Amino acid sequence: MTASLHPSKPSAAKGPGVPTVWLDGEWHERGTAVVSVYDHGLLYGDGVFEGIRVYGGKIFRLSEHLDRLYDSAHAIWLTIPMAKAELVAITEEAVRRSGIAEAYIRHIVTRGVGDLGLDPRKCPKPTVIIIVDTIKLWPEEVYETGLKVVTAGTPIPQREALSPRVKSLNYLAHILAKVEGIQAGADEVIMLDSSGYVAEGSGQNIFVVKQRQIRTPPAYAGILKGVTRDAVIELAREHGYHVEESILNRYDVYTADEAFFTGTASEVVAIRQVDGRLIGSGNSGPVTRDLRARYQALVRS
Ligand code: PMP
């Protein structure tokens, strides 16, 4: 069925629901949503994506996520074949159809179907996909105890090779870092940039707290500028914390009173140990707990 350009007004999703996929104008259930093996998203990782949460049927910061999707696409010379307002409407319709109240939305835009060469001009039409499903990265107790983390040897891609600001379908460096974490028996990893500065987790931004002062790497440090990161910085400043965006070394993480990750899927999650060093008291500290509670309130407000 082809999607209407003017989908029905969304009403809030209420129940556990059914994973729902919109693929180039057609509605699917999980099993029938398939793409061509000639799609350059598959052949070359040529494309961009977003991950967005739905809380109580309401989409959190859809506009900010879609702005990042359009910027990521523009940066790789890919034109998303619809206006943002239309993508907003289809996304809302997808959430409504799924009936999933606590959902995770994945937008994917690939270069589209082409031939076996790299040339993007041979892909006449980008493939646009919206998946509405659920996500759970960590068991609930992790939010109490915090994560055991190691530093990965795999650095984030060098800024001028593949800008970390582009949320592209090339996640192999982050996946290889994640594999190192798994091999080391850790829950998550810290990735450094090619100069050795602390960059981010495999799918999270990182913050440290020292004497109630909060620090996180600046966007130019070679990180993805997280929507959750920005929301947490805003929340922290509104509630009187001093937040500084500055370059971090591993020393700053090892000697922090608290450290935590932020991300759409991870939300706000404490780090209890890094490379065998306990962080502060070795579980979720007071600032992390406070910001996590405020973030939970914000996403449901
Ligand atoms: N860094 C990376 C590499 C990520 O994949 C993500 C998740 N999108 C983040 C940071 C956090 O970004 P956000 O808060 O927008 O989910």
Side-chain angles (χ1 to χ4, degrees):
M1 186 184 76
T2 302
S4 148
L5 283 182
H6 302 287
S8 56
K9 182 122 188 65
S11 59
K14 292 191 174 61
V18 186
T20 299
V21 180
W22 186 91
L23 167 59
D24 285 339
E26 310 251 310
W27 294 101
H28 295 267
E29 290 190 0
R30 184 159 43 191
T32 62
V34 289
V35 293
S36 165
V37 293
Y38 286 87
D39 194 296
H40 279 210
L42 175 65
L43 288 174
Y44 298 117
D46 186 356
V48 293
F49 76 102
E50 268 305 319
I52 309 175
R53 283 290 273 265
V54 178
Y55 293 96
K58 280 164 56 190
I59 307 174
F60 182 65
R61 304 226 161 157
L62 176 60
S63 185
E64 287 85 340
H65 279 285
L66 292 186
D67 283 347
R68 188 169 68 185
L69 183 73
Y70 279 83
D71 282 348
S72 291
H74 185 70
I76 67 161
W77 196 52
L78 173 63
T79 304
I80 299 179
M82 61 186 63
K84 183 180 161 191
E86 194 182 339
L87 198 51
V88 166
I90 301 168
T91 305
E92 288 174 341
E93 172 77 355
V95 171
R96 191 191 62 73
R97 280 176 178 247
S98 77
I100 307 177
E102 303 295 312
Y104 178 82
I105 311 171
R106 170 62 50 91
H107 290 83
I108 306 158
V109 184
T110 79
R111 188 75 62 183
V113 174
D115 63 15
L116 293 178
L118 289 178
D119 192 341
R121 294 170 303 180
K122 305 252 183 82
C123 305
K125 196 168 75 60
T127 303
V128 182
I129 303 166
I130 304 170
I131 304 171
V132 182
D133 204 328
T134 54
I135 196 162
K136 190 164 179 67
L137 294 191
W138 327 108
E140 214 40 49
E141 58 269 21
V142 157
Y143 290 96
E144 284 299 312
T145 57
L147 299 168
K148 180 181 166 193
V149 171
V150 292
T151 306
T154 309
I156 56 162
Q158 213 265 337
R159 272 194 296 285
E160 294 313 316
L162 174 59
S163 171
R165 300 292 298 277
V166 174
K167 197 163 169 59
S168 84
L169 294 180
N170 290 258
Y171 253 54
L172 207 42
H174 291 75
I175 290 167
L176 293 181
K178 183 88 191 162
V179 168
E180 291 182 53
I182 294 164
Q183 293 296 338
D187 302 306
E188 196 34 73
V189 288
I190 289 174
M191 296 182 73
L192 307 178
D193 68 14
S194 43
S195 309
Y197 294 117
V198 170
E200 58 189 356
S202 67
Q204 304 85 6
N205 293 116
I206 186 167
F207 288 72
V208 297
V209 184
K210 184 89 173 170
Q211 290 161 350
R212 291 183 68 82
Q213 310 256 317
I214 301 173
R215 288 173 67 195
T216 192
Y220 66 78
I223 56 163
L224 186 80
K225 192 167 179 294
V227 171
T228 320
R229 167 191 184 275
D230 290 353
V232 167
I233 291 174
E234 265 169 51
L235 271 179
R237 287 189 175 141
E238 266 167 39
H239 291 90
Y241 292 101
H242 177 82
V243 185
E244 192 180 290
E245 295 179 55
S246 60
I247 295 289
L248 296 181
N249 290 301
R250 273 197 290 173
Y251 173 84
D252 300 310
V253 182
Y254 293 157
T255 58
D257 300 331
E258 298 177 39
F260 59 90
F261 284 128
T262 63
T264 295
S266 310
E267 302 177 316
V268 176
V269 59
I271 299 172
R272 68 177 158 88
Q273 195 194 103
V274 179
D275 299 337
R277 283 78 159 175
L278 278 194
I279 305 302
S281 61
N283 53 35
S284 190
V287 175
T288 307
R289 281 174 190 275
D290 182 39
L291 291 175
R292 174 166 171 77
R294 292 187 191 283
Y295 182 73
Q296 293 299 325
L298 175 73
V299 297
R300 294 188 181 279
S301 63

